[in-house]
Amino acid sequence: MSLFNFKKLKQLFSHDIGIDLGTANTLVYLRGKGIIINEPSVVAVNQKTGQVVAIGTEARSMLGRTPEHILAIKPLVDGVISDFETTEEMLSYLLSRAAVGSSKIFAPRVVVGVPSGITNVEIRAVRDATRNAGAGEVHIVEEPMAAAIGMRMPIREPIGNMVVDIGGGTVDIAVISLGGVVKSKNLRVAGDKFNSDIIAHVRNQHKVLLGEKTAEMVKIGIGSVLPTHAPLEMPVKGRDLATGLPKEIVLTDNDVRDALSQSMESLVDSIIEVLESTPPDILSDVMHQGMYLAGGGALIKGLPELLENEINIPVHVAADPLTAVARGTGIILEDLDGYKDILVEHEGELPIKK
């Protein structure tokens, strides 16, 4: 069999998979089928045996509820791998679910989205973990670029496109033109930090300690960065720091707004910083086109209006912000050769930088 025929056969029988490897959730795109997996990036491990007990939604339900010998781990912190072996186990599980029937000969081609600005060592860790989990070819793309592709923005045109991808661990701010990133900044003030802000505010103001899952429910349920027409309220249960006993309190959108104020200020300042360093002609394009929000953080109530008020640029939210990056990896898979120039690294081509 000729090399050309083998390549055609490989393309026919291998599974092309796109992965949005997120701090909070990992999404898997299977070419020809779309997004087939959306699972929390959590793994539960039995410390006595070293065996994985649960992955994804089942493991997330165990957070804060496990006995001492079972540990629920988030293997990604601030968008990068913090526990290599656990990440490998999670990827292996996800790839096996997506590429049912795949063989070592026709191992899947995988495109993985990573935050912008991470080091080559961190990029290599993602690639090695993905390959060890069963992938064949592994290609890396920066998440703001993947999000822009997923939102069908004209990234190839000589036009300035601005993307703000607010994930669980990081915020990626990027200005894109002619298929490349002109200016960017990676900010580690995102969904997980918002949860921590809420926990800290309730602890300081109400002397009650909330769990991380409860804080996330508050953020999603009544989180708003601008005053609402009608006050939003939610009863929550936590531990009274004075007595150590359970206590229920009622939080309002004003509580959440106060909790998130400093993080929102950091987000606005970072966007302004990127705009200030953007070339004037591209900046005029951005002012006309507006900026586009992706990621779960884009769904926080009032955020587009807040950014418009502070920065004086139109703000648009992606049609489905949670899946923009995963959809982008899928579009790249449809024409991998055509998008090779925007990939961060091809295997073996770039040395690790210090």
Side-chain angles (χ1 to χ4, degrees), residues 89-146:
E89 290 277 4
M90 182 178 76
L91 286 170
S92 180
Y93 164 76
L94 295 172
L95 287 176
S96 65
R97 277 184 59 187
V100 177
S102 181
S103 66
K104 289 185 178 178
I105 298 175
F106 301 119
R109 295 191 303 174
V110 180
V111 173
V112 186
V114 299
S116 64
I118 69 171
T119 67
N120 277 353
V121 174
E122 291 165 337
I123 290 171
R124 185 152 293 183
V126 171
R127 195 186 62 211
D128 289 349
T130 309
R131 194 196 298 114
N132 293 347
E137 293 178 36
V138 180
H139 303 277
I140 307 294
V141 63
E142 291 183 326
E143 288 174 351
M145 183 66 80

Side-chain angles (χ1 to χ4, degrees), residues 32-326:
K33 293 190 177 179
I35 296 169
I36 60 169
I37 299 171
N38 183 352
E39 293 271 11
S41 302
V42 185
V43 179
V45 179
N46 187 322
Q47 292 185 297
K48 290 181 179 178
T49 63
Q51 298 295 311
V52 172
V53 177
I55 294 174
T57 304
E58 187 180 351
R60 187 178 184 277
S61 68
M62 298 179 182
L63 282 172
R65 295 187 172 94
T66 59
E68 287 186 3
H69 68 283
I70 294 178
L71 187 63
I73 302 168
K74 289 186 172 184
L76 292 112
V77 176
D78 295 335
V80 297
I81 293 174
S82 64
D83 187 320
F84 185 87
E85 291 182 358
T86 307
T87 302
E88 190 179 310
E89 290 277 4
M90 182 178 76
L91 286 170
S92 180
Y93 164 76
L94 295 172
L95 287 176
S96 65
R97 277 184 59 187
V100 177
S102 181
S103 66
K104 289 185 178 178
I105 298 175
F106 301 119
R109 295 191 303 174
V110 180
V111 173
V112 186
V114 299
S116 64
I118 69 171
T119 67
N120 277 353
V121 174
E122 291 165 337
I123 290 171
R124 185 152 293 183
V126 171
R127 195 186 62 211
D128 289 349
T130 309
R131 194 196 298 114
N132 293 347
E137 293 178 36
V138 180
H139 303 277
I140 307 294
V141 63
E142 291 183 326
E143 288 174 351
M145 183 66 80
I149 293 169
M151 290 186 280
R152 304 284 183 177
M153 297 175 72
I155 63 163
R156 297 286 192 191
E157 303 296 321
I159 299 170
N161 302 277
M162 188 169 192
V163 176
V164 180
D165 179 21
I166 308 171
T170 61
V171 174
D172 277 308
I173 306 163
V175 177
I176 299 165
S177 179
L178 288 170
V181 175
V182 178
K183 292 292 177 182
S184 69
K185 182 170 183 178
N186 182 270
L187 183 68
R188 298 192 173 184
V189 176
D192 288 350
K193 177 63 166 61
F194 301 158
N195 295 343
S196 300
D197 290 341
I198 292 169
I199 291 170
H201 177 81
V202 173
R203 182 180 63 237
N204 294 334
Q205 297 299 316
H206 299 276
K207 309 302 179 190
V208 171
L209 182 63
L210 299 182
E212 188 177 337
K213 286 178 69 176
T214 303
E216 186 167 9
M217 287 171 56
V218 170
K219 178 184 70 179
I220 294 170
I222 62 172
S224 176
V225 294
L226 287 178
T228 55
H229 294 297
L232 302 173
E233 294 184 348
M234 176 182 284
V236 295
K237 297 180 178 68
R239 183 168 72 236
D240 190 321
L241 292 174
T243 66
L245 298 175
K247 184 178 180 180
E248 180 174 287
I249 59 173
V250 176
L251 296 180
T252 67
D253 59 300
N254 195 51
D255 286 310
V256 181
R257 196 155 41 252
D258 289 344
L260 301 184
S261 60
Q262 192 170 348
S263 290
M264 288 299 138
E265 188 176 330
S266 297
L267 175 59
V268 170
D269 289 346
S270 296
I271 293 172
I272 291 173
E273 184 183 327
V274 171
L275 289 171
E276 285 176 343
S277 60
T278 300
D281 288 338
I282 293 178
L283 181 59
S284 66
D285 292 336
V286 172
M287 291 179 68
H288 176 70
Q289 299 274 109
M291 75 176 76
Y292 287 78
L293 304 184
L299 298 173
I300 293 176
K301 300 176 187 70
L303 182 58
E305 293 81 4
L306 174 71
L307 295 179
E308 279 191 5
N309 295 341
E310 295 290 334
I311 304 173
N312 297 321
I313 289 177
V315 177
H316 313 282
V317 179
D320 187 358
L322 286 165
T323 64
V325 172

